[in-house]
C-alpha cells in the first residue's frame, strides 16, 4: 500500500490510541456546573394563531416567510457570511461591504479559530505529559484493561461481520449470476431487483454483526461505565459507517459484476470502492468515536482540534486522490460522451470531463470549511445533500438505461403483420429515437432540478405547490398526451391506408385510381393532423388561437387574391381527380408533354418522358389530358408494298404475321381482338400503303406494335414482297437517233484501280503493277545513267 492509502487508517488509529491513553489519566477532571435550564417558553396563543390563519393577507405573508426560511442558508452560516460580521471592527457600513471582503473576513476567522484550537490542543497534550493540570495520576492497569476490552469488542464485531459476509458469499454469487444471465425481465430491472435484494442482505449482515458486538460488549467483556461508553460509541459508529459502505457497494460492487449499478469496469469499481471506504471510515470513526471520547474524557477544546485534524487529513487525502485520477477519469468521461447518441449529453459529458476535478475540489473544500465553521448543522446538510445528489444521478442513469433497453432497441413486428403493413415497422423505428431523445432530456432536467433542490438552490416542493409550477407540469403532461394520441391516430389511419394499398392483404392489386386517391388522402391527412394537433397544443399551453385562426383566414384570402394561378392549379387539380382523368402510372400527354405520370398532387403532376426527363406540369396550364391507359389501346400500322406486288398476297402475309404474334407467349395475352385490316389507305409516290389495327390491353400497344413490325418484315422477306425504300436511278440520256452515248467507265475504273494501288501494301502494289502493266520490265545496268 502506498503512503497515501495508509494515511487515513494511520490517523484514525493514532487518534484512537490518544483517546484511550488520555481516558484513565484524565478521568478525575471536573467540569463546570451545568448551565441553568432555559426558562419555559410561554404557551402559544391558539386564538391568535386562528386569527392569523383566517386573515387572507396575513396567511399569505406567513407562507412567503416560511418559503424564504426554507430556502435560506443555515443560521450559523448566514451569520458568518453576513455583512455585519464582515464590517465588525471597521469603519465601513454593513451595507457597503463587498462579497470578497465578506469571504476574506470569513477566511481570517476560520484560520484564527483553527490556530487557536491547535494552540490549545498542544497545551493540553503538554500538560498531560508534564503532569500539570487538574489531575496528574495515571492508572496503567485501568488503561490496559480499557484498551483490551475495547479491542476485544472491535475485533469481535469485525470478525463476526467478516464471517457473516463469508457465509453469504455464495448467495451473493448466485444473485449476481441471475442478474447477468437471467431471463424474463429487462437487464436493468433484473439489475435493480438483484441490487435491492443484495442490499437488504448486506444490511442484515451489518445488523447481525452490530447485535453480535453488543452481545460481546455486554456479556463477554463486562459492563463498566467507561467501557459501556466506548463500546456504544464504536458500535453506533460501526452501524452507521457500514451502512454507508453498503450503499457505496451498491454503486461500486468490485467482486460481483451483476450487483454494480454504475456501468464501469471491475478495476475502476474496485479502486473507487476502496477509496470511498477509507474516506468514510476515517471521517466516520474519527468524528463519531475519537472526537466524542476526547470531548468526554479530556476536554472539548482538544476534541474540536482532533476533529479539525481529522477533516484536514481527509481533505488532503481526497485532494490527492482527485488530482491523481484527473486525467484517467477525464479520458473515461470523454469515451462515454463519444458513445452517447444525444447531442446534449455528449457535450455535457465532454465539458464535465474537463472540469470534474474542479467541482470535486470545490466540493471537498466546501465540506471542510463548513465543518470547521458550523459542524453542528452544516455537516449533516452536506451529507444529506450528497446522498440526494447521488440518488438522483443513479436513478436518472437507471431510468435512461431502462428506456434504452425497452424502447431504444429496434422494434420487430411479426411476419404476418410485416407482410400486411410493410411500412409500419420502418415508421415505428423512425419515431423511437426521437421519443427516446425527448425522454432523456426530461430525465436530465428532472435530475438537475433534484440536485439543485438537494443543495438548497431550488425548492422543488414549493415550486410544484405554486400555481406556476402546477400549471407548467399539467401543461407538459397534457401536451405529451395530445402528442401520443395524435401519433396513435396517425399510425392507425396511415396503416389502414397502407393496408388498402398492399396487394397481399387479400383484396388484390388496387387500381390506379385507388392508389392516387389514397395517396392524396394520406398527404391531406398528414397536413390536417399537424394543423389540428398544433392548434390544440397552442390552446392547451394558454395561447388564444382565435386571433390566429382569424388571421389565417385573412391571410388565406389575401393569398387567394394574390396567387390566382395557385388557386387555379388547386381547383383544376380537384376536378381532374374527381373526373379520374389520370392516375399515377398512366401514360399521358399533358401540357404538350408526353410521358408516365409518376406523382400527382392537388396542384401539379410530375411526368417522366421517354428520355428520362422529369417534368412538373401545373394544372393551370392543362387544357387537355390525353390518357393512353384507359380500357384498351390500339396499334395502328401502315405498311407499304411495291406497285408490282399483289395487295391480296400482302394482306395474307399480314394475317400470317398476326397469327405468329398470337402464338407468342410474350404478347398473346395482350391481344384483345383479331387483326383489323382497314385496307389501302394511299397510293403513294413509290408504295401502296395498307393500314392494320391491333387492339391490345392499355399501355401495351407500343410493345405489341414493335413485335408485329418485326414479324411483318420476316413474312414479307420470305414471300418476296418488296418493301419500297427511297433510291436514285442514273440516266445518261439519248441522241436524236435513239442511241445512248457510251459512258466513260474505263476512266472511272482506271482511277479506282490507281486509288486501290496507292492504298495497297508495297508487296501487293508491286505484284499488281507487274500483272497489269506488260510493258514494265526490270531495269538493268544499261538503263541506269552513269555519272
Amino acid at each position: 500500500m502506498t503512503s497515501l492509502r495508509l494515511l487515513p487508517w494511520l490517523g484514525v488509529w493514532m487518534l484512537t490510541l490518544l483517546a484511550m491513553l488520555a481516558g484513565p489519566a484524565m478521568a478525575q477532571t471536573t467540569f463546570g456546573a451545568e448551565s441553568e435550564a432555559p426558562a419555559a417558553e410561554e404557551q402559544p396563543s391558539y386564538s391568535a394563531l386562528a386569527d392569523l390563519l383566517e386573515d387572507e393577507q396575513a396567511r399569505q405573508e406567513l407562507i412567503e416567510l416560511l418559503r424564504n426560511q426554507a430556502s435560506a442558508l443555515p443560521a450559523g452560516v448566514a451569520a458568518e457570511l453576513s455583512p455585519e460580521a464582515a464590517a465588525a471592527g471597521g469603519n465601513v457600513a454593513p451595507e457597503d461591504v463587498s462579497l470578497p471582503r465578506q469571504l476574506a473576513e470569513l477566511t481570517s476567522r476560520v484560520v484564527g479559530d483553527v490556530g487557536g484550537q491547535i494552540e490549545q490542543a498542544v497545551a493540553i497534550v503538554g500538560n498531560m505529559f508534564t503532569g500539570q493540570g487538574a489531575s496528574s495520576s495515571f492508572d496503567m492497569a485501568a488503561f490496559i484493561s480499557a484498551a483490551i476490552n475495547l479491542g476485544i469488542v472491535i475485533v469481535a464485531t469485525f470478525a463476526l461481520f467478516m464471517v457473516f459476509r463469508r457465509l453469504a458469499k455464495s448467495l451473493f454469487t448466485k444473485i449476481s449470476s441471475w442478474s447477468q444471465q437471467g431471463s424474463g425481465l429487462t437487464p436493468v430491472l433484473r439489475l435493480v431487483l438483484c441490487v435491492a435484494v443484495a442490499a437488504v442482505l448486506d444490511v442484515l449482515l451489518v445488523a447481525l454483526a452490530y447485535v453480535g458486538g453488543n452481545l460481546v460488549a455486554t456479556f463477554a467483556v463486562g459492563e463498566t461505565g467507561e467501557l459501556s461508553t466506548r463500546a456504544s460509541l464504536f458500535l453506533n459508529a460501526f452501524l452507521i459507517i457500514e451502512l454507508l459502505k453498503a450503499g457505496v457497494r451498491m454503486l461500486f460492487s468490485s467482486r460481483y459484476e451483476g450487483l454494480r449499478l454504475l456501468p464501469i469496469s471491475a478495476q475502476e469499481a474496485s479502486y473507487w470502492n476502496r477509496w470511498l471506504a477509507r474516506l468514510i471510515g476515517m471521517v466516520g470513526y474519527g468524528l463519531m468515536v475519537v472526537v466524542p471520547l476526547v470531548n468526554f474524557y479530556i476536554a472539548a477544546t482538544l476534541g474540536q482540534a482532533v476533529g479539525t485534524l481529522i477533516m484536514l487529513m481527509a481533505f488532503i487525502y481526497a485532494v490527492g486522490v482527485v488530482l491523481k485520477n484527473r486525467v484517467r477519469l477525464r479520458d473515461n468521461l470523454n469515451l462515454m460522451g463519444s458513445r452517447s447518441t444525444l447531442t446534449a449529453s455528449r457535450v455535457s459529458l465532454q465539458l464535465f470531463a474537463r472540469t470534474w476535478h474542479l467541482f470535486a475540489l470545490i466540493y471537498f473544500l466546501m465540506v471542510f470549511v463548513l465543518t470547521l465553521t458550523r459542524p453542528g448543522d452544516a455537516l449533516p446538510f452536506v451529507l444529506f445533500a450528497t446522498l440526494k445528489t447521488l440518488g438522483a444521478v443513479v436513478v436518472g442513469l437507471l431510468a435512461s438505461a431502462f428506456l434504452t433497453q425497452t424502447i431504444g432497441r429496434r422494434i420487430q413486428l411479426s411476419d404476418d403483420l410485416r407482410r400486411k403493413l410493410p411500412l409500419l415497422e420502418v415508421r415505428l423505428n423512425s419515431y423511437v429515437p426521437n421519443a427516446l431523445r425527448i425522454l432523456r432530456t426530461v430525465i436530465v432536467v428532472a435530475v438537475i432540478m433534484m440536485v439543485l433542490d438537494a443543495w438548497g438552490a431550488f425548492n422543488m416542493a414549493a415550486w410544484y405547490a405554486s400555481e406556476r409550477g402546477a400549471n407548467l407540469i399539467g401543461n407538459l403532461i397534457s401536451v405529451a398526451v395530445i402528442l401520443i394520441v395524435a401519433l396513435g391516430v396517425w399510425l392507425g389511419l396511415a396503416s389502414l391506408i397502407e393496408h388498402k394499398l398492399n396487394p397481399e392483404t387479400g383484396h388484390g392489386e388496387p387500381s390506379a385510381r385507388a392508389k392516387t386517391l389514397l395517396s392524396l388522402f394520406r398527404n391531406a391527412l398528414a397536413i390536417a393532423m399537424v394543423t389540428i394537433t398544433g392548434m390544440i397544443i397552442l390552446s392547451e399551453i394558454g395561447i388564444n388561437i382565435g386571433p390566429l385562426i382569424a388571421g389565417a383566414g385573412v391571410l388565406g384570402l389575401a393569398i387567394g387574391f394574390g396567387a390566382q394561378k395557385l388557386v387555379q392549379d388547386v381547383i383544376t387539380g380537384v376536378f381532374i381527380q374527381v373526373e379520374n382523368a389520370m392516375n399515377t402510372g398512366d401514360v399521358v400527354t399533358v401540357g404538350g408533354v408526353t410521358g408516365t405520370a409518376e406523382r400527382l398532387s392537388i396542384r401539379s403532376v410530375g411526368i417522366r418522358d421517354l428520355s428520362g426527363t422529369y417534368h412538373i406540369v401545373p394544372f393551370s396550364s392543362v387544357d387537355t389530358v390525353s390518357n393512353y391507359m384507359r380500357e384498351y389501346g390500339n396499334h395502328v400500322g401502315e405498311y407499304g408494298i411495291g406497285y408490282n406486288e399483289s395487295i391480296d398476297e400482302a394482306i395474307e402475309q399480314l394475317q400470317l404475321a398476326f397469327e405468329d404474334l398470337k402464338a407468342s407467349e410474350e404478347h398473346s395475352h395482350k391481344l384483345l381482338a383479331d387483326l383489323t385490316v382497314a385496307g389501302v389507305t394511299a397510293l403513294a409516290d413509290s408504295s401502296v400503303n395498307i393500314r392494320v389495327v391491333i387492339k391490345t390491353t392499355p399501355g401495351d400497344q407500343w410493345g405489341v406494335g414493335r413485335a408485329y413490325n418485326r414479324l411483318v418484315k420476316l413474312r414479307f422477306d420470305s414471300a418476296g414482297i418488296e418493301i419500297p425504300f427511297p433510291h436514285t436511278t442514273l440516266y445518261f440520256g439519248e441522241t436524236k437517233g435513239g442511241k445512248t452515248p457510251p459512258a466513260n467507265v474505263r476512266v472511272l475504273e482506271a482511277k479506282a484501280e490507281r486509288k486501290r494501288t496507292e492504298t495497297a501494301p508495297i508487296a501487293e502494289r508491286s505484284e499488281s503493277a507487274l500483272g497489269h502493266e506488260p510493258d514494265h520490265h526490270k531495269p538493268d545496268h544499261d538503263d541506269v545513267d552513269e555519272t
Side-chain angles (χ1 to χ4, degrees):
M1 298 178 67
T2 62
S3 58
L4 186 62
R5 296 181 179 180
L6 285 172
L7 178 61
W9 298 115
L10 182 60
V12 169
W13 288 113
M14 288 180 63
L15 292 172
T16 305
L17 182 61
L18 177 62
M20 293 171 56
L21 180 63
M26 305 297 294
Q28 305 297 326
T29 303
T30 59
F31 297 93
E34 297 180 356
S35 60
E36 296 182 358
E41 297 181 357
E42 296 181 359
Q43 294 184 354
S45 177
Y46 295 103
S47 60
L49 180 60
D51 295 338
L52 178 64
L53 295 177
E54 288 179 355
D55 189 359
E56 180 69 24
Q57 183 178 0
R59 185 169 67 249
Q60 187 65 28
E61 292 177 357
L62 178 61
I63 293 174
E64 294 296 332
L65 178 61
L66 293 177
R67 287 177 180 173
N68 294 333
Q69 291 295 330
S71 60
L73 291 173
V77 179
E80 295 288 343
L81 295 176
S82 63
E84 290 78 7
N91 297 325
V92 183
E95 59 271 11
D96 296 332
V97 178
S98 61
L99 180 60
R101 174 69 180 274
Q102 298 178 32
L103 295 177
E105 293 292 339
L106 175 62
T107 305
S108 176
R109 286 195 298 272
V110 169
V111 173
D113 293 341
V114 171
Q117 293 175 10
I118 295 176
E119 183 179 356
Q120 294 178 5
V122 171
I124 293 175
V125 174
N127 292 335
M128 289 172 50
F129 289 98
T130 58
Q132 300 177 0
S135 177
S136 59
S137 61
F138 179 74
D139 191 352
M140 181 59 69
F143 164 71
I144 295 175
S145 176
I148 292 175
N149 292 335
L150 182 58
I152 292 174
V153 173
I154 295 174
V155 171
T157 304
F158 278 107
L160 289 174
F161 183 60
M162 297 302 295
V163 170
F164 291 151
R165 286 194 60 84
R166 182 68 178 177
L167 294 176
K169 182 179 180 180
S170 60
L171 188 56
F172 282 116
T173 303
K174 292 180 180 179
I175 297 174
S176 176
S177 177
W178 186 81
S179 174
Q180 291 179 303
Q181 304 174 2
S183 59
L185 295 174
T186 58
V188 173
L189 290 180
R190 286 202 310 270
L191 175 63
V192 173
L193 181 61
C194 292
V195 169
V197 174
V200 172
L201 181 60
D202 208 349
V203 170
L204 290 177
L205 296 179
V206 173
L208 289 176
Y210 174 75
V211 173
N214 275 283
L215 294 177
V216 171
T218 304
F219 299 103
V221 175
E223 185 175 0
T224 62
E226 293 128 354
L227 180 59
S228 176
T229 302
R230 293 190 181 96
S232 298
L233 286 173
F234 166 74
L235 291 173
N236 292 335
F238 170 81
L239 180 62
I240 296 175
I241 292 170
E242 292 304 325
L243 289 178
L244 291 176
K245 289 183 179 179
V248 172
R249 284 192 290 270
M250 292 172 60
L251 300 176
F252 307 97
S253 179
S254 58
R255 298 182 180 179
Y256 308 102
E257 293 282 345
L259 302 179
R260 187 184 309 136
L261 287 177
L262 295 181
I264 58 178
S265 63
Q267 182 179 2
E268 291 286 337
S270 177
Y271 176 81
W272 293 108
N273 189 18
R274 292 196 306 270
W275 178 73
L276 290 174
R278 294 191 193 102
L279 190 62
I280 293 173
M282 178 177 62
V283 176
Y285 286 114
L287 296 182
M288 299 179 66
V289 178
V290 177
V291 172
L293 289 176
V294 174
N295 288 337
F296 186 77
Y297 290 106
I298 304 178
T301 305
L302 181 60
Q304 189 176 4
V306 171
T308 302
L309 180 60
I310 292 174
M311 293 305 300
L312 180 61
M313 294 171 59
F315 175 72
I316 295 174
Y317 177 61
V319 170
V321 172
V322 169
L323 296 179
K324 180 181 178 181
N325 296 276
R326 180 175 62 87
V327 177
R328 185 165 62 92
L329 194 56
R330 181 194 63 189
D331 296 337
N332 293 337
L333 290 174
N334 285 326
L335 181 61
M336 292 175 60
S338 62
R339 296 175 180 175
S340 177
T341 58
L342 191 61
T343 305
S345 300
R346 182 169 60 255
V347 174
S348 300
L349 285 174
Q350 291 175 354
L351 181 62
F352 184 67
R354 298 179 180 180
T355 59
W356 77 269
H357 61 286
L358 300 178
F359 288 104
L361 294 177
I362 292 173
Y363 169 78
F364 288 117
L365 179 61
M366 180 184 65
V367 173
F368 179 66
V369 172
L370 290 178
T371 305
L372 295 180
T373 55
R374 305 298 301 177
D377 48 7
L379 190 59
F381 169 78
V382 172
L383 177 61
F384 285 109
T386 303
L387 294 178
K388 290 179 182 179
T389 301
L390 291 177
V393 172
V394 171
V395 171
L397 291 175
L398 292 177
S400 179
F402 175 75
L403 291 175
T404 302
Q405 294 178 2
T406 51
I407 66 174
R409 57 188 179 183
R410 182 174 179 82
I411 299 176
Q412 295 183 352
L413 303 178
S414 62
D415 295 336
D416 183 64
L417 191 59
R418 192 185 300 113
R419 179 182 61 83
K420 293 180 179 179
L421 304 173
L423 296 180
L424 180 59
E425 181 176 332
V426 178
R427 191 177 291 115
L428 289 175
N429 288 314
S430 64
Y431 294 154
V432 165
N434 296 326
L436 193 58
R437 290 189 182 95
I438 295 174
L439 292 176
R440 285 177 175 173
T441 303
V442 172
I443 292 174
V444 170
V445 172
V447 169
I448 293 175
M449 293 175 65
M450 294 177 66
V451 171
L452 294 177
D453 179 74
W455 291 97
F458 175 74
N459 194 342
M460 183 183 297
W463 173 79
Y464 180 73
S466 64
E467 183 179 359
R468 181 180 300 177
N471 290 336
L472 179 59
I473 297 298
N475 291 335
L476 290 177
I477 295 175
S478 300
V479 169
V481 172
I482 291 171
L483 290 177
I484 293 173
V485 171
L487 183 61
V489 172
W490 163 248
L491 286 177
L493 294 178
S495 300
L496 179 61
I497 295 173
E498 180 185 349
H499 179 76
K500 296 293 184 181
L501 292 175
N502 191 0
E504 299 183 4
T505 56
H507 302 288
E509 182 71 25
S511 62
R513 177 173 174 77
K515 291 180 179 180
T516 302
L517 292 179
L518 288 175
S519 299
L520 290 176
F521 177 72
R522 180 170 54 191
N523 296 335
L525 177 64
I527 296 174
M529 289 293 299
V530 171
T531 304
I532 295 174
T533 304
M535 291 293 183
I536 295 175
I537 290 176
L538 291 177
S539 176
E540 188 64 30
I541 63 178
I543 298 177
N544 187 8
I545 63 175
L548 183 61
I549 296 175
V554 174
L555 182 62
L557 185 61
I559 292 176
F561 282 111
Q564 297 182 12
K565 277 289 185 182
L566 178 62
V567 176
Q568 187 178 355
D569 290 342
V570 174
I571 294 176
T572 306
V574 170
F575 281 103
I576 286 176
Q577 297 302 324
V578 170
E579 294 174 359
N580 193 20
M582 58 180 162
N583 294 311
T584 304
D586 290 352
V587 179
V588 294
T589 297
V590 175
V593 180
T594 301
T596 304
E598 291 190 354
R599 183 191 61 84
L600 277 174
S601 68
I602 202 66
R603 192 195 69 86
S604 63
V605 57
I607 296 178
R608 181 85 62 180
D609 64 10
L610 187 61
S611 63
T613 305
Y614 185 74
H615 305 268
I616 296 179
V617 181
F619 286 132
S620 60
S621 63
V622 176
D623 296 330
T624 304
V625 177
S626 302
N627 197 326
Y628 302 96
M629 304 287 291
R630 293 300 168 84
E631 298 181 4
Y632 64 90
N634 284 332
H635 166 66
V636 180
E638 289 193 0
Y639 303 94
I641 61 176
Y643 273 93
N644 58 346
E645 303 293 344
S646 172
I647 295 176
D648 295 336
E649 184 180 0
I651 293 175
E652 182 180 357
Q653 295 300 323
L654 291 174
Q655 293 283 0
L656 293 177
F658 183 75
E659 295 297 328
D660 295 340
L661 185 65
K662 289 174 62 177
S664 172
E665 295 181 358
E666 182 180 357
H667 301 286
S668 60
H669 63 281
K670 303 176 183 178
L671 305 176
L672 299 180
D674 292 334
L675 179 68
T676 300
V677 180
V680 178
T681 59
L683 298 176
D685 293 339
S686 59
S687 65
V688 177
N689 296 336
I690 303 174
R691 178 180 293 172
V692 298
V693 179
I694 301 176
K695 190 175 184 180
T696 67
T697 53
D700 295 322
Q701 56 266 38
W702 300 285
V704 170
R706 290 189 294 269
Y708 183 68
N709 290 336
R710 173 180 174 275
L711 295 174
V712 168
K713 177 66 170 60
L714 294 177
R715 281 291 179 178
F716 278 9
D717 289 345
S718 64
I721 297 176
E722 178 189 2
I723 300 177
F725 59 92
H727 56 277
T728 303
T729 301
L730 297 178
Y731 175 65
F732 295 98
E734 294 180 356
T735 62
K736 292 182 179 181
K739 294 182 180 181
T740 303
N744 190 8
V745 178
R746 183 180 61 80
V747 176
L748 297 176
E749 289 181 353
K751 290 182 179 180
E753 181 65 23
R754 185 168 61 252
K755 184 177 181 181
R756 188 189 67 81
T757 303
E758 290 176 354
T759 58
I762 297 177
E764 295 181 3
R765 193 184 308 170
S766 301
E767 293 177 1
S768 176
L770 291 173
H772 295 281
E773 296 182 7
D775 296 336
H776 178 78
H777 62 278
K778 182 177 181 181
D780 54 11
H781 64 278
D782 296 332
D783 297 325
V784 178
D785 295 336
E786 296 181 358
T787 56

